[in-house]
Amino acid sequence: MFLEAHKRNEAQFSAAADQTGLARFGDLTPDFILLFIMPLLIILLGYNSFTKEREMGTLTLLKSQGLSHWKWLLGKWFALFLPIFVVTAALFLLAGLLLNNLDDFGVFNWGSLFTMFLVYIGYYMIFINIVLLISSRTKKSGISLVVSLSVWIIACLAAPKAASNIAESKHPYPTRQEFAANVLNDKKEGLDGHNPWSKEAKLLEQEVLKEYGVDSLHQLPFNFDGYRMQKGEEHEAQVYFKHYNYLKDQYSKQSKVYRGLAAISPYLPARFLSMAVAHTDYATHWDFADAAESYRIATQEFLNNNFAENSAFGEWSYQADADTWKDLPVFEYDPPELKSILSRNSSNMGILGIWLLASFGLLLFNVKTI
């Protein structure tokens, strides 16, 4: 984020800004692999787990050996789960080793990585249960593959898009042009710190002269130009506070809609939890943006007060010495801790847990009919 006087800027250098039309097909990023490709791999590995036994005639042979339904199911389940578990564990371990050894990478801890690992393992278990359930209820491998792929398309592609459209239609954000116009209109209704001839500036001048009991701005113990600039900054900060709070309110309402629709697909709670733990969700973005804005306001206050206290009225050529910049506040930001992130996403964890229990329940209930 670029910080400057009089203006609150958005985050810059978004990856979407430089992408071509091919980006609509998805980037081969870690999250794309974990959320989309791995469930697809589960389908390709497990769609014929039970149907192949029927088609090859080995089902009768297995039953003649006295193999119980439970052992058969557990064997199929672990045969599908273990390779997925090993691959996922290897990916996360490799990522952890790389990130842990990068200098100045940012915020990284093994606890968050392990939590994300558990989220994805639960997510994959749900797909394993669904794929095995479909395979056990269909007679042909081709039908099982088509049904499993249909579930993947609905869960990973259609449901997220539908949830996004519903949330956006219920609580839309203003366009960038509308937002900029609203901010500009509110700015014009208040004090402009760089316009000493405006009505608001004259009213402020009269209030300050009355407060200090003097007849002229030259008699004030500080440079009124700096004081006026600071008051102008405070007005503009309030304008941005008002309009960005509206955006955050819309985000909060959209999030409630998202959480309400998360039950339609295990993809949604898994994705929300993954983003939150990785500090790439909207909540962390707003937290960082607010911290940056607070620092911007504090910096402008420091500079305006320094100008007001160390220069005379009408002196615009004032330059601060080098020692002044040593006293400038340093920006520090600590992202939310894992405990608070999990507390904030308790509903997503609950929904993912319900999906996990329900899928296991359906699979186990179906075991006797295999």
Side-chain angles (χ1 to χ4, degrees), residues 201-220:
K202 291 299 182 182
L203 289 175
L204 178 64
E205 180 181 322
Q206 294 174 8
E207 291 175 2
V208 173
L209 290 176
K210 183 178 179 180
E211 179 183 353
Y212 283 86
V214 294
D215 300 326
S216 171
L217 295 177
H218 293 278
Q219 298 175 352
L220 292 173

Side-chain angles (χ1 to χ4, degrees), residues 205-264:
E205 180 181 322
Q206 294 174 8
E207 291 175 2
V208 173
L209 290 176
K210 183 178 179 180
E211 179 183 353
Y212 283 86
V214 294
D215 300 326
S216 171
L217 295 177
H218 293 278
Q219 298 175 352
L220 292 173
F222 53 83
N223 187 340
F224 182 75
D225 289 329
Y227 181 85
R228 185 183 60 249
M229 286 193 297
Q230 175 56 29
K231 290 299 180 182
E233 285 285 350
E234 292 173 4
H235 162 68
E236 292 168 347
Q238 287 298 317
V239 171
Y240 282 113
F241 181 79
K242 168 189 171 183
H243 289 282
Y244 275 88
N245 267 5
Y246 174 74
L247 294 183
K248 285 195 287 185
D249 185 57
Q250 291 298 95
Y251 154 72
S252 178
K253 292 177 180 178
Q254 286 190 9
S255 295
K256 290 180 180 179
V257 176
Y258 271 130
R259 286 194 295 269
L261 296 173
I264 65 177

Side-chain angles (χ1 to χ4, degrees), residues 270-281:
R271 178 174 181 264
F272 295 150
L273 283 168
S274 176
M275 290 175 64
V277 174
H279 295 140
T280 57
D281 60 330

Side-chain angles (χ1 to χ4, degrees), residues 173-186:
Y173 284 116
T175 64
R176 181 175 292 273
Q177 292 78 10
E178 291 172 344
F179 181 79
N182 293 334
V183 170
L184 183 61
N185 289 334
D186 282 355

Side-chain angles (χ1 to χ4, degrees), residues 39-163:
L40 191 59
L41 179 61
I42 291 172
I43 292 173
L44 296 178
L45 291 175
Y47 76 94
N48 62 351
S49 294
F50 293 105
T51 55
K52 190 175 181 180
E53 301 283 5
R54 296 189 181 97
E55 292 170 346
M56 295 182 64
T58 55
L59 178 57
T60 304
L61 179 62
L62 289 171
K63 287 184 177 180
S64 68
Q65 297 290 331
L67 181 66
S68 67
H69 292 288
W70 290 103
K71 288 184 179 179
W72 193 28
L73 175 64
L74 287 175
K76 296 293 185 182
W77 194 89
F78 277 105
L80 187 54
F81 172 75
L82 287 177
I84 297 299
F85 178 85
V86 170
V87 170
T88 307
L91 289 174
F92 272 83
L93 181 61
L94 178 62
L97 292 174
L98 290 174
L99 297 177
N100 192 50
N101 288 282
L102 287 178
D103 295 331
D104 300 325
F105 167 74
V107 180
F108 172 77
N109 66 76
W110 286 99
S112 296
L113 188 69
F114 181 70
T115 301
M116 191 183 297
F117 171 74
L118 294 180
V119 169
Y120 280 108
I121 289 298
Y123 177 57
Y124 299 151
M125 282 182 174
I126 294 170
F127 269 93
I128 289 172
N129 294 339
I130 293 174
V131 169
L132 290 180
L133 179 62
I134 293 172
S135 182
S136 68
R137 300 301 296 176
T138 52
K139 296 181 179 181
K140 298 292 183 180
S141 296
I143 297 175
S144 175
L145 178 61
V146 170
V147 175
S148 298
L149 288 175
S150 299
V151 171
W152 177 80
I153 291 171
I154 293 172
C156 296
L157 299 177
K161 182 62 177 176

